Amino acid sequence: ESHMSTAVRVYSFLEDTARNCPGESVLVVCHGGICRIIESYFHDMTNEEYSAAGIKNCELVEYRFE
């Protein structure tokens, strides 16, 4: 799967989750590459920022749909 295809799949998942689970808390457990894509969904990032983005093992990051 290409990186772009993965991003489309993750973005679709996030949009489906926002639509189907309004006001609910949802726990997503995934690998670092998917975490980077999720970060890019919620924040505008340059290519350099995207490349440098990362998450530590077992780190918890909270995002909110507005």
Side-chain angles (χ1 to χ4, degrees), residues 25 42 62-66:
S25 295
F42 286 95
E62 182 177 348
Y63 299 98
R64 293 182 182 272
F65 290 101
E66 304 279 331

Side-chain angles (χ1 to χ4, degrees), residues 22-61:
E24 296 182 38
S25 295
V26 177
L27 176 65
V28 177
V29 179
C30 53
H31 292 277
I34 301 302
C35 292
R36 182 179 290 144
I37 293 170
I38 293 171
E39 181 74 11
S40 75
Y41 180 87
F42 286 95
H43 303 286
D44 288 333
M45 303 171 81
T46 64
N47 288 337
E48 292 77 20
E49 290 168 332
Y50 181 83
S51 294
I55 187 169
K56 297 177 184 146
N57 286 338
C58 301
E59 183 176 0
L60 179 65
V61 179

Side-chain angles (χ1 to χ4, degrees), residues 1-12 37:
E1 180 175 36
S2 72
H3 187 73
M4 188 59 74
S5 295
T6 304
V8 168
R9 183 169 49 87
V10 172
Y11 279 24
S12 293
I37 293 170

